[in-house]
Amino acid sequence: MVLIKEREMEIPVIDFSELDGENRIKTMSLLDHACDKWGFFMVDNHGVDKELMEKVKKMINSHYEDHLKEKFYQSEMVKALSEGKTSDADWESSFFIWHKPTSSICKIPNISDELIKTMDEYVSQLHKFAERLSNLMCENLGLSQEYITNAFSGPEGPAFGTKVAKYPECPRPELMRGLREHTDAGGIILLLQDDQVPGLEFLKDGKWVPIPPSKNNTIFVNTGDQLEILSNGRYKSAVHRVMTVKDGCRLSIATFYNPAGDAVISPAPELLYPSGYQFQDYLKLYSTTKFGDKGSRFHTMKKRENGDSV
C-alpha cells in the first residue's frame, strides 16, 4: 500500500470558549466529529495559562541544552548514523515524569527546583482540562459525565504522566525516524509542542498529515487505544510518527490521561450492539419500526437482552 503525504488537510480546531455560549451545540458536534473521524485535533482557549506554557517550554529547552544534548550526541546511535548505519532506535532524547497517582519529578536527574515548581503548576491546570475534555467526550458518546474518569480510575484515580522529548537536528533524516509509526497505548494525550520546528505526522485515510507547529500555545489532542476500546471503536486511536529534520530541534511535551495500572478496561455497555436475540424477534420489531431510526431498534433489543420491559 502506498501512503501519500498530504499537505492540505485542515485539522479540526475546537474553540473551548464557544462551549459556554450559543455555539455550544455546534462546538460539541465539531468535537465529536474530530474524535470520530480524525482521532486528533487542536484545542484553543483551553483555560491553561499560556504564559505558563511558554515558561515550561523555555525551561525544558534549557534543561536539554544543559544536561541532555551532549549525552545524546555521544550516543552509539549517533555514532552509527555518522557511518551510514541505521537501527531500530528513535532519534530522540526523552524522559518520563509521573504526576498521579504519585509524582516522580524529583527523581529526574539534574532537574531544578524552579522547573519542578513550574511543571507542577502546568500539570495541575492541564489535569483540569483533561477531566473537562473527558467529560465532554462522555456527553457526546451518550455516557454519564464522568464515565471515562471512573473507568480509568484505580484507588487513587486515573494515571497522569508526561513524556518530555527533544528531537535533535539529524544529519541523515532519510535514514532515521524521530519516533517510529505507532498508536498510543493510553487514553487521552495532550501535547504542548514546538512553535517553530515541524515533524509530527498523523495517518488519516491512507495519507500522512503533517501537524504544524503549535502557534499561540494551542493544545494538540489525540486519542489512544484505551479510549478506542472503551468507546467500542467509535473514537479510534490514530497512527502517528515523528520525522527528523536537518535544521531545528523539535520540542514535545506530551501528557497522558491514562487508566491506572489496575483499572479494568472494557467497552462501555451502552455502546455495545445488542446480542443474543433470535432474528425472528428482531423482524417482529422491524415490521413496526421499519421507517424509524435503527438506533431506537437497537436500543429496544438491548433492553430486552437485559430483561427490561419495553
Side-chain angles (χ1 to χ4, degrees), residues 154-165:
E156 299 180 71
F160 205 52
T162 298
K163 178 187 175 183
V164 176

Side-chain angles (χ1 to χ4, degrees), residues 13 21 27 30 33 91 124 129 135 144 152 155 167 182 236 239 251 299 301-302:
V13 179
T27 304
L30 179 59
H33 175 79
W91 190 267
S124 176
F129 168 71
N135 290 347
S144 60
F152 282 8
Y167 296 95
H182 66 288
K236 290 182 173 60
V239 176
L251 173 65
H299 181 68
M301 296 304 294
K302 281 182 65 175

Side-chain angles (χ1 to χ4, degrees), residues 210-240:
I211 308 303
S214 292
K215 302 298 183 181
N216 198 32
N217 285 325
T218 55
I219 294 176
F220 182 84
V221 178
N222 69 280
T223 50
D225 295 346
Q226 304 314 303
L227 195 60
E228 177 171 339
I229 293 168
L230 185 145
S231 68
N232 197 35
R234 183 167 162 188
Y235 289 175
K236 290 182 173 60
S237 56
V239 176
H240 53 286

Side-chain angles (χ1 to χ4, degrees), residues 270-285:
E270 296 91 331
L271 302 180
L272 293 174
Y273 283 109
S275 61
Y277 57 84
Q278 292 185 333
F279 180 50
Q280 62 187 5
D281 294 331
Y282 186 86
L283 282 178
K284 184 177 180 181
L285 176 64

Side-chain angles (χ1 to χ4, degrees), residues 11-12 14 16 31 34-35 38-43 129 133 137 187-192 202 218-223:
I11 300 163
I14 316 298
F16 263 39
L31 174 61
C35 293
W38 290 73
F40 57 96
F41 51 93
M42 296 180 182
V43 177
F129 168 71
L133 178 58
M137 288 178 175
I188 302 171
I189 298 84
L190 313 170
L191 175 64
L192 171 60
F202 271 72
T218 55
I219 294 176
F220 182 84
V221 178
N222 69 280
T223 50

Side-chain angles (χ1 to χ4, degrees), residues 129-195:
F129 168 71
E131 289 185 323
R132 186 184 185 196
L133 178 58
S134 70
N135 290 347
L136 294 171
M137 288 178 175
C138 287
E139 183 177 338
N140 274 334
L141 288 167
L143 302 173
S144 60
Q145 187 179 57
E146 297 185 353
Y147 188 95
I148 292 174
T149 296
N150 293 334
F152 282 8
S153 290
E156 299 180 71
F160 205 52
T162 298
K163 178 187 175 183
V164 176
K166 291 284 286 185
Y167 296 95
E169 295 178 350
C170 180
R172 301 288 301 275
E174 73 279 7
L175 296 180
M176 292 290 294
R177 292 276 192 272
L179 191 60
R180 289 160 290 168
E181 291 83 352
H182 66 288
T183 59
D184 288 323
I188 302 171
I189 298 84
L190 313 170
L191 175 64
L192 171 60
Q193 66 162 347
D194 207 288
D195 58 7

